[in-house]
Amino acid sequence: MSNDIESTVAKHAAELASQPEGGFPAQEQAPPGLTSKMDPVPDHGEESYEGHGKLQGLRALITGGDSGIGRAVAIAFAREGADVAIAHLPEEQSDADDTLEFVRKEGVKGFSIPGDLQDTDTCARTVEQAVESLGGLDILVNNAAYHFTRGDAGGLEGLKQENVSRVLRLNIEAILWLTKAAVPHLGKGSSIINTSSIQSFEPSGRLLEYAATKAAVNNLTVNLAEELGPKGIRVNAVAPGPIWTPLQPATRDGEEMKKFGADTPLGRAGQPAELAPAYVFLASPRDASYVSGTIIGVTGGKAAW
Ligand code: NAD
Ligand code: MG
C-alpha cells in the first residue's frame, strides 16, 4: 500500500474506533453547512493528493467547489495543472476562500463565483464569468446539489413544496442551463462530469425526490454524451456512496451521523479525497479519451449500475 492509502485507512480506523456505531459524532448545521463546523473536518486530499500534470493548462468550472467533493476535485485539478473557477452560494464564501487558497498554492489561477444556481440567469452568468476569468473553458463539473430530510421532512409524507422545487431546480434544471451555456465554449477534448449518487441505483424512500433527480442525472449523462460526442466533448458522471461532507450534517437529523456510511460493504463513509481521482480520470483528455456516457461508482462497495 502507498503511504497515502495507508494514512487514509489509518485515519478512518481511528475515527471508527472512536465511534463504535461506525459513523461520526451526532451533529447538525443549518443548510448549506460549512466545513469548519464539522467534527471531524473532512479529508479533501490537502495533505495527500499528488498531481502528475494530467490536466496541464486546462480550465475547469466546478459548481459546489467550495466544500466536500467539489473542494477535493478543485484541489486535485489544481495539482494536475488546471486553472479552476468554483461556484458556490454567497453564504459559503469562507469555505470558497479556503478552497481557493489550496488551489492558488499550486501556482494555477483560482476564482470564486457566488450565486444561487436555482436561477437560470445565474447559471448563464456563472459560466460567462468563469470563461472570462479563466480565458476559456475545457471542463465543466456539475456538482452542486441539495436534499433535505431532517425531522419530519422526507418521503411522500414529508414532501414540502419549497424543498422539492429547490431539489429539482438545482439538481436537474441547473445542470441543463449550465451545460447549455458552457457548450459553445467547449471544444474537442473537453469534458463534462456530472455528480450523480448511489441513490440513482439504490433509492431510499426518505430521499424520494433527490433520488429521482440523480437517476435523471444518469439519463442526462448518456443523452448528452450522444449529442456532444460529434463535437469531441465527452460527458460522464461519478456516483458517490455516503461521503462525509457538509451536505450530511446540514440536511439530516444529527443522530443519523452516528451510523452514516456504516452499512456499506467497506463499513464506513468515504472521504471527499477518495472521490477526486475518478473526476481527474474522467477529465483527462489522454486517460479517458474513449470514455463517454458512463457512470463511475465510488460507493464503498454498493452496486452502481
Ligand atoms: P457539499 O455540501 O459540500 O456540496 C454541495 C454544494 O452544492 C454546496 O457546497 C453548495 O455550494 C452547492 N449548492 C447548494 N445549493 C446551491 C444553490 N442553490 N446554488 C448554488 N450552489 C448550491 O456536499 P457534497 O456531498 O460534496 O455534494 C456534492 C455532490 O455530491 C452533490 O451533487 C451531491 O448530491 C453528491 N453526493 C453526495 C453524497 C454524500 O454522501 N455526500 C453522496 C452521493 C452524491
Ligand atoms: Mg458548501
Side-chain angles (χ1 to χ4, degrees):
M1 272 200 286
S2 78
N3 288 342
D4 289 354
I5 299 168
E6 270 177 14
S7 75
T8 303
V9 171
K11 198 170 156 205
H12 287 310
E15 274 164 22
L16 291 181
S18 67
Q19 285 297 307
E21 290 175 276
F24 302 92
Q27 60 199 284
E28 278 183 14
Q29 295 191 40
L34 285 177
T35 308
S36 51
K37 291 188 180 163
M38 292 177 74
D39 173 23
V41 169
D43 175 2
H44 308 91
E46 293 90 339
E47 306 296 328
S48 58
Y49 191 89
E50 229 178 87
H52 295 94
K54 287 176 184 285
L55 307 178
Q56 200 64 49
L58 299 183
R59 299 151 298 186
L61 167 61
I62 305 166
T63 68
D66 58 299
S67 59
I69 296 166
R71 178 185 289 192
V73 173
I75 292 173
F77 278 15
R79 291 195 184 162
E80 297 291 354
D83 294 323
V84 174
I86 58 172
H88 55 88
L89 285 165
E91 57 266 43
E92 298 175 304
Q93 193 63 53
S94 61
D95 265 358
D97 290 344
D98 289 348
T99 302
L100 288 182
E101 206 177 308
F102 285 108
V103 166
R104 291 178 183 142
K105 246 189 222 164
E106 302 306 314
V108 297
K109 291 185 207 159
F111 302 97
S112 129
I113 308 175
D116 187 338
L117 295 173
Q118 290 179 79
D119 175 56
T120 310
D121 293 339
T122 305
C123 291
R125 177 184 57 77
T126 298
V127 170
E128 292 317 317
Q129 263 180 255
V131 168
E132 201 173 307
S133 48
L134 296 169
L137 193 65
D138 306 290
I139 304 163
L140 170 64
V141 181
N142 288 311
N143 170 71
Y146 184 68
H147 60 50
F148 194 80
T149 61
R150 184 171 298 157
D152 61 0
L156 201 50
E157 187 87 345
L159 283 184
K160 289 193 180 65
Q161 212 280 327
E162 177 197 333
N163 282 342
V164 173
S165 295
R166 184 168 173 177
V167 167
L168 297 182
R169 283 201 300 261
L170 183 65
N171 301 14
I172 281 296
E173 278 196 45
I175 295 185
L176 293 173
W177 301 124
L178 286 158
T179 302
K180 188 174 164 67
V183 164
H185 303 282
L186 301 178
K188 209 168 156 42
S190 293
S191 79
I192 298 170
I193 306 168
N194 300 319
T195 301
S196 176
S197 169
I198 182 68
Q199 286 291 323
S200 66
F201 301 104
E202 196 182 86
S204 35
R206 293 270 291 159
L207 289 166
L208 191 67
E209 71 279 30
Y210 171 85
T213 65
K214 293 301 185 176
V217 167
N218 295 353
N219 182 293
L220 265 182
T221 300
V222 174
N223 225 341
L224 286 169
E226 175 90 28
E227 179 171 343
L228 300 176
K231 294 182 198 283
I233 302 168
R234 298 175 298 102
V235 186
N236 293 290
V238 175
I243 310 300
W244 185 234
T245 70
L247 183 66
Q248 303 307 338
T251 65
R252 295 179 189 261
D253 284 324
E255 285 295 309
E256 278 185 60
M257 300 305 113
K258 289 185 178 171
K259 289 188 172 161
F260 183 66
D263 66 341
T264 59
L266 290 180
R268 62 169 176 87
Q271 293 289 330
E274 296 177 288
L275 271 293
Y279 288 81
V280 168
F281 167 68
L282 292 173
S284 163
R286 179 182 296 207
D287 292 348
S289 56
Y290 200 54
V291 181
S292 193
T294 203
I295 297 145
I296 297 185
V298 185
T299 61
K302 294 210 173 192
W305 44 270

